[in-house]
Amino acid sequence: MPTNTAPAELFRHGLRLLLDKDIPAWVDLWDDDGVFEFPFAPDGWPTRLEGKAAIADYVRDYPDHIDLHDFPQVEIHRTAAARTIVVEMRGVGRLVATDSPFEMTYIAVVTVHDGRFTRYRDYWNPLAVVQDPASDFTRRSR
């Protein structure tokens, strides 16, 4: 993506890559020093990942566990900070291990600089993990 990519455009492109299960290309959207945060992460899950390498390690097995099919609801809100957006969205798919439905609601606060994610605060719903441990793709229990 060009370095002048608007945050909303970069975010939508990232969603398409996730649906295509192109995790390496999604990771390439990150700044080398990017920070990925999970303020509502359950006990034992990471709350903060620092740097592209840590982010890549965290998401590399995601498609083996969660098969995303769609983001049927995506609302992107611009903020007073031109490089930051707030996103409300819902992702749907299936859990690979159990073939059961997967549905997650998210609110994300995303900051972009020079066409790369620099900070992404992912306020995802931890109750979904508690209800179905098959959604744990973090390798915590392995």
Side-chain angles (χ1 to χ4, degrees), residues 39-95:
F40 296 150
D43 289 341
W45 284 60
T47 58
R48 182 180 173 94
L49 303 169
E50 296 185 25
K52 185 187 264 188
I55 295 163
D57 185 54
Y58 178 77
V59 298
R60 74 172 176 229
D61 294 330
Y62 188 90
D64 295 334
H65 299 276
I66 299 173
D67 178 18
L68 284 173
H69 296 163
D70 194 12
F71 291 99
Q73 296 171 322
V74 178
E75 286 187 51
I76 298 177
H77 308 276
R78 290 176 176 78
T79 68
R83 298 183 309 167
T84 300
I85 56 174
V86 174
V87 181
E88 298 176 80
M89 64 183 186
R90 182 170 62 93
V92 296
R94 72 177 179 91
L95 297 173

XYZ file of all heavy atoms in Angstrom, residues 39-95:
455
model
N -7.078 -4.697 25.383
C -7.433 -4.274 26.745
C -8.373 -5.229 27.485
O -8.349 -5.272 28.713
C -8.105 -2.920 26.523
C -7.525 -2.427 25.232
C -7.348 -3.659 24.400
N -9.195 -6.004 26.780
C -10.144 -6.904 27.434
C -9.732 -8.365 27.352
O -10.562 -9.259 27.532
C -11.541 -6.744 26.830
C -12.149 -5.388 27.043
C -13.044 -4.879 26.117
C -11.844 -4.611 28.150
C -13.626 -3.630 26.299
C -12.408 -3.360 28.331
C -13.308 -2.868 27.415
N -8.462 -8.639 27.079
C -8.008 -10.024 26.954
C -8.249 -10.797 28.248
O -8.036 -10.273 29.347
C -6.525 -10.059 26.604
N -8.689 -12.048 28.128
C -8.877 -12.875 29.323
C -7.537 -13.188 29.988
O -6.482 -13.064 29.357
C -9.510 -14.155 28.789
C -9.823 -13.931 27.364
C -9.071 -12.734 26.901
N -7.590 -13.628 31.229
C -6.375 -14.026 31.947
C -5.597 -15.045 31.129
O -6.178 -15.974 30.566
C -6.724 -14.631 33.312
C -7.219 -13.600 34.296
O -6.966 -12.399 34.089
O -7.873 -13.998 35.283
N -4.293 -14.840 31.053
C -3.422 -15.757 30.341
C -3.225 -15.416 28.870
O -2.349 -15.980 28.223
N -4.034 -14.516 28.324
C -3.880 -14.082 26.940
C -3.014 -12.832 26.924
O -3.008 -12.055 27.886
C -5.241 -13.753 26.338
C -6.065 -14.939 25.974
C -6.504 -15.920 26.815
C -6.549 -15.267 24.691
N -7.244 -16.830 26.114
C -7.294 -16.463 24.817
C -6.442 -14.670 23.443
C -7.910 -17.065 23.729
C -7.076 -15.269 22.368
C -7.788 -16.456 22.513
N -2.295 -12.594 25.841
C -1.482 -11.372 25.784
C -2.366 -10.127 25.770
O -3.456 -10.134 25.215
C -0.712 -11.502 24.472
C -1.395 -12.549 23.687
C -2.179 -13.405 24.628
N -1.873 -9.088 26.421
C -2.581 -7.811 26.424
C -1.876 -6.776 25.546
O -2.472 -5.767 25.195
C -2.713 -7.250 27.851
O -1.413 -7.102 28.412
C -3.561 -8.167 28.714
N -0.619 -7.046 25.201
C 0.152 -6.088 24.407
C 1.235 -6.832 23.626
O 1.991 -7.615 24.201
C 0.778 -5.044 25.326
C 1.561 -3.963 24.623
C 2.129 -2.983 25.665
N 3.007 -2.023 25.082
C 2.655 -0.802 24.675
N 1.417 -0.405 24.837
N 3.531 0.011 24.148
N 1.286 -6.562 22.336
C 2.338 -7.097 21.479
C 3.112 -5.918 20.924
O 2.516 -4.965 20.413
C 1.739 -7.895 20.325
C 0.827 -9.056 20.717
C 0.096 -9.587 19.487
C 1.626 -10.162 21.378
N 4.422 -5.968 21.034
C 5.257 -4.860 20.572
C 6.129 -5.332 19.416
O 6.914 -6.267 19.562
C 6.116 -4.334 21.709
C 5.285 -3.731 22.819
C 6.118 -3.079 23.912
O 7.270 -2.668 23.637
O 5.601 -2.987 25.039
N 5.959 -4.692 18.270
C 6.780 -4.970 17.099
C 6.129 -5.945 16.134
O 5.338 -6.807 16.511
N 6.474 -5.767 14.875
C 5.910 -6.579 13.798
C 6.184 -8.065 14.004
O 5.317 -8.905 13.740
C 6.485 -6.112 12.459
C 5.876 -6.798 11.264
C 6.599 -6.437 9.977
C 5.901 -5.312 9.286
N 6.437 -5.048 7.939
N 7.359 -8.428 14.498
C 7.696 -9.848 14.694
C 6.777 -10.490 15.733
O 6.302 -11.617 15.532
C 9.158 -9.995 15.103
N 6.502 -9.797 16.812
C 5.604 -10.337 17.845
C 4.183 -10.467 17.316
O 3.480 -11.441 17.609
C 5.632 -9.451 19.088
N 3.765 -9.502 16.530
C 2.423 -9.542 15.938
C 2.327 -10.711 14.960
O 1.354 -11.467 14.973
C 2.090 -8.192 15.269
C 2.006 -7.105 16.343
C 0.810 -8.284 14.449
C 2.082 -5.689 15.819
N 3.351 -10.897 14.140
C 3.367 -12.008 13.176
C 3.289 -13.346 13.894
O 2.542 -14.247 13.476
C 4.624 -11.933 12.305
N 4.024 -13.491 14.978
C 4.006 -14.736 15.733
C 2.618 -14.999 16.320
O 2.130 -16.124 16.321
C 5.058 -14.693 16.845
C 5.155 -16.002 17.583
O 5.357 -17.047 16.921
O 5.018 -16.002 18.823
N 1.979 -13.956 16.782
C 0.657 -14.077 17.408
C -0.405 -14.525 16.411
O -1.250 -15.361 16.731
C 0.282 -12.732 18.023
C -1.082 -12.683 18.666
C -1.302 -13.259 19.918
C -2.145 -12.048 18.040
C -2.550 -13.198 20.519
C -3.393 -11.982 18.641
C -3.593 -12.558 19.875
O -4.828 -12.499 20.464
N -0.393 -14.008 15.200
C -1.472 -14.274 14.242
C -1.160 -15.368 13.221
O -2.040 -15.736 12.456
C -1.896 -12.987 13.489
C -2.436 -11.953 14.443
C -0.777 -12.437 12.647
N 0.035 -15.905 13.224
C 0.422 -16.817 12.136
C -0.484 -18.033 12.005
O -0.717 -18.512 10.901
C 1.878 -17.235 12.276
C 2.120 -18.227 13.381
C 3.544 -18.768 13.352
N 3.684 -19.635 14.505
C 4.682 -19.569 15.340
N 5.668 -18.739 15.144
N 4.712 -20.379 16.368
N -1.031 -18.557 13.093
C -1.874 -19.750 13.024
C -3.367 -19.429 13.041
O -4.193 -20.338 13.104
C -1.557 -20.685 14.195
C -0.159 -21.261 14.109
O 0.351 -21.434 12.982
O 0.429 -21.545 15.173
N -3.710 -18.163 12.988
C -5.109 -17.757 13.097
C -6.030 -18.517 12.137
O -7.040 -19.083 12.566
C -5.199 -16.244 12.879
C -6.561 -15.658 13.147
C -6.895 -15.200 14.415
C -7.515 -15.553 12.142
C -8.143 -14.657 14.682
C -8.760 -15.008 12.392
C -9.067 -14.570 13.657
O -10.303 -14.036 13.918
N -5.713 -18.621 10.835
C -6.620 -19.307 9.906
C -6.765 -20.809 10.174
O -7.721 -21.425 9.733
C -6.009 -19.078 8.528
C -5.087 -17.931 8.695
C -4.601 -17.987 10.122
N -5.811 -21.400 10.888
C -5.918 -22.820 11.233
C -6.945 -23.050 12.336
O -7.339 -24.190 12.587
C -4.568 -23.370 11.694
C -3.533 -23.347 10.587
O -3.926 -23.386 9.399
O -2.331 -23.270 10.909
N -7.354 -21.988 13.008
C -8.273 -22.096 14.134
C -9.601 -21.390 13.888
O -10.650 -21.882 14.297
C -7.615 -21.546 15.399
C -6.379 -22.308 15.756
N -6.418 -23.476 16.474
C -5.081 -22.097 15.437
C -5.183 -23.952 16.595
N -4.357 -23.136 15.977
N -9.530 -20.236 13.241
C -10.736 -19.467 12.958
C -10.793 -19.204 11.460
O -9.905 -18.563 10.895
C -10.759 -18.155 13.763
C -10.744 -18.468 15.257
C -11.972 -17.320 13.379
C -10.606 -17.251 16.163
N -11.831 -19.722 10.839
C -12.053 -19.556 9.407
C -13.040 -18.405 9.225
O -14.251 -18.603 9.295
C -12.599 -20.865 8.828
C -12.919 -20.776 7.348
O -12.422 -19.851 6.674
O -13.670 -21.643 6.862
N -12.512 -17.213 9.020
C -13.368 -16.040 8.831
C -14.041 -16.099 7.471
O -13.396 -16.397 6.468
C -12.543 -14.755 8.923
C -12.125 -14.310 10.308
C -11.174 -13.128 10.213
C -13.340 -13.943 11.144
N -15.334 -15.798 7.455
C -16.086 -15.782 6.198
C -16.465 -14.375 5.762
O -16.569 -14.111 4.571
C -17.373 -16.603 6.332
C -17.132 -18.048 6.581
N -18.108 -18.883 7.060
C -16.031 -18.827 6.440
C -17.632 -20.105 7.195
N -16.373 -20.091 6.830
N -16.695 -13.488 6.739
C -17.206 -12.176 6.365
C -17.095 -11.222 7.549
O -17.025 -11.641 8.706
C -18.675 -12.300 5.953
C -19.211 -11.071 5.228
O -18.413 -10.194 4.823
O -20.439 -10.986 5.059
N -17.093 -9.957 7.230
C -17.283 -8.877 8.196
C -18.548 -8.151 7.741
O -18.472 -7.165 7.012
C -16.079 -7.925 8.215
C -14.838 -8.545 8.789
C -13.840 -9.049 7.955
C -14.666 -8.640 10.158
C -12.702 -9.619 8.483
C -13.523 -9.224 10.690
C -12.545 -9.708 9.847
N -19.733 -8.666 8.130
C -20.975 -8.116 7.593
C -21.315 -6.718 8.096
O -22.123 -6.032 7.472
C -22.037 -9.125 8.029
C -21.451 -9.792 9.217
C -19.972 -9.803 9.004
N -20.722 -6.328 9.183
C -20.962 -4.982 9.697
C -19.609 -4.333 9.984
O -18.845 -4.833 10.811
C -21.781 -5.022 10.984
C -23.172 -5.578 10.783
C -23.884 -5.804 12.091
O -23.302 -6.218 13.074
N -25.183 -5.527 12.092
N -19.332 -3.260 9.298
C -18.112 -2.484 9.534
C -18.497 -1.010 9.463
O -18.968 -0.535 8.427
C -17.019 -2.779 8.478
C -15.789 -1.912 8.730
C -16.655 -4.259 8.473
N -18.314 -0.323 10.562
C -18.519 1.128 10.603
C -17.204 1.766 11.005
O -16.659 1.443 12.063
C -19.584 1.510 11.628
C -20.993 1.192 11.201
C -22.002 1.753 12.186
O -21.913 2.963 12.515
O -22.852 0.980 12.632
N -16.703 2.648 10.170
C -15.445 3.326 10.442
C -15.745 4.779 10.756
O -16.394 5.470 9.969
C -14.476 3.205 9.251
C -14.145 1.716 9.015
C -13.208 4.018 9.501
C -13.257 1.455 7.818
N -15.280 5.211 11.915
C -15.500 6.580 12.374
C -14.172 7.335 12.368
O -13.187 6.868 12.944
C -16.064 6.588 13.800
C -17.271 5.717 13.959
N -18.535 6.146 13.644
C -17.392 4.431 14.392
C -19.398 5.165 13.891
N -18.736 4.115 14.329
N -14.171 8.476 11.716
C -12.982 9.328 11.749
C -12.944 10.055 13.088
O -13.981 10.281 13.708
C -13.027 10.306 10.588
C -12.807 9.595 9.263
C -12.937 10.524 8.081
N -12.630 9.867 6.842
C -13.456 9.042 6.198
N -14.630 8.759 6.700
N -13.103 8.480 5.056
N -11.750 10.416 13.509
C -11.586 11.125 14.771
C -10.934 12.484 14.506
O -10.543 12.781 13.374
C -10.706 10.322 15.749
O -9.361 10.294 15.246
C -11.222 8.897 15.925
N -10.794 13.266 15.549
C -10.133 14.564 15.416
C -8.650 14.396 15.061
O -8.044 15.291 14.486
C -10.281 15.359 16.708
N -8.094 13.239 15.395
C -6.708 12.929 15.017
C -6.758 12.275 13.632
O -7.283 11.169 13.476
C -6.081 11.992 16.034
N -6.251 12.940 12.626
C -6.390 12.499 11.231
C -5.862 11.090 10.973
O -6.337 10.408 10.067
C -5.685 13.493 10.304
N -4.910 10.634 11.750
C -4.316 9.313 11.523
C -4.997 8.209 12.326
O -4.581 7.058 12.251
C -2.828 9.343 11.846
C -2.049 10.304 10.955
C -0.573 10.288 11.228
N -0.289 10.456 12.632
C 0.884 10.235 13.197
N 1.908 9.843 12.475
N 1.058 10.408 14.489
N -6.024 8.540 13.107
C -6.673 7.560 13.981
C -8.144 7.414 13.610
O -8.847 8.396 13.390
C -6.538 7.977 15.461
O -5.136 8.059 15.784
C -7.204 6.984 16.388
N -8.592 6.147 13.559
C -9.995 5.831 13.315
C -10.506 4.937 14.445
O -9.722 4.267 15.133
C -10.205 5.118 11.959
C -9.352 3.850 11.861
C -9.928 6.066 10.802
C -9.602 3.015 10.606
N -11.806 4.919 14.609
C -12.473 3.986 15.514
C -13.373 3.121 14.638
O -14.124 3.643 13.811
C -13.297 4.716 16.595
C -14.086 3.728 17.430
C -12.383 5.566 17.472
N -13.280 1.814 14.822
C -14.021 0.882 13.983
C -14.929 0.021 14.857
O -14.475 -0.540 15.855
C -13.063 -0.034 13.186
C -13.841 -0.989 12.301
C -12.072 0.787 12.377
N -16.197 -0.070 14.470
C -17.133 -1.017 15.061
C -17.393 -2.071 14.000
O -17.703 -1.735 12.851
C -18.457 -0.331 15.400
C -18.340 0.771 16.420
C -19.677 1.448 16.624
O -20.524 0.896 17.369
O -19.885 2.501 16.000
N -17.236 -3.349 14.374
C -17.439 -4.381 13.358
C -17.817 -5.703 13.997
O -17.665 -5.903 15.202
C -16.200 -4.538 12.490
C -14.989 -5.027 13.211
S -13.600 -5.084 12.067
C -12.392 -5.845 13.119
N -18.286 -6.572 13.130
C -18.641 -7.938 13.527
C -18.042 -8.883 12.502
O -18.170 -8.668 11.288
C -20.161 -8.090 13.562
C -20.643 -9.464 14.016
C -22.152 -9.469 14.259
N -22.901 -9.167 13.066
C -23.384 -10.081 12.224
N -23.181 -11.366 12.452
N -24.073 -9.717 11.161
N -17.347 -9.892 12.994
C -16.778 -10.914 12.130
C -17.525 -12.230 12.319
O -17.914 -12.567 13.441
N -17.727 -12.968 11.236
C -18.402 -14.261 11.306
C -17.607 -15.298 10.524
O -16.890 -14.976 9.581
C -19.849 -14.187 10.768
C -20.703 -13.275 11.618
C -19.886 -13.738 9.320
N -17.744 -16.532 10.943
C -17.070 -17.645 10.288
C -17.335 -18.924 11.040
O -18.444 -19.132 11.539
N -16.286 -19.741 11.156
C -16.439 -20.998 11.892
C -15.138 -21.318 12.611
O -14.048 -20.896 12.197
C -16.824 -22.135 10.947
C -15.696 -22.583 10.059
C -16.078 -23.763 9.168
N -14.937 -24.109 8.336
C -13.997 -25.005 8.662
N -14.075 -25.644 9.812
N -12.983 -25.238 7.857
N -15.270 -22.072 13.703
C -14.108 -22.571 14.419
C -13.693 -23.872 13.752
O -14.500 -24.801 13.617
C -14.438 -22.795 15.894
C -14.826 -21.527 16.649
C -15.303 -21.867 18.046
C -13.672 -20.547 16.691
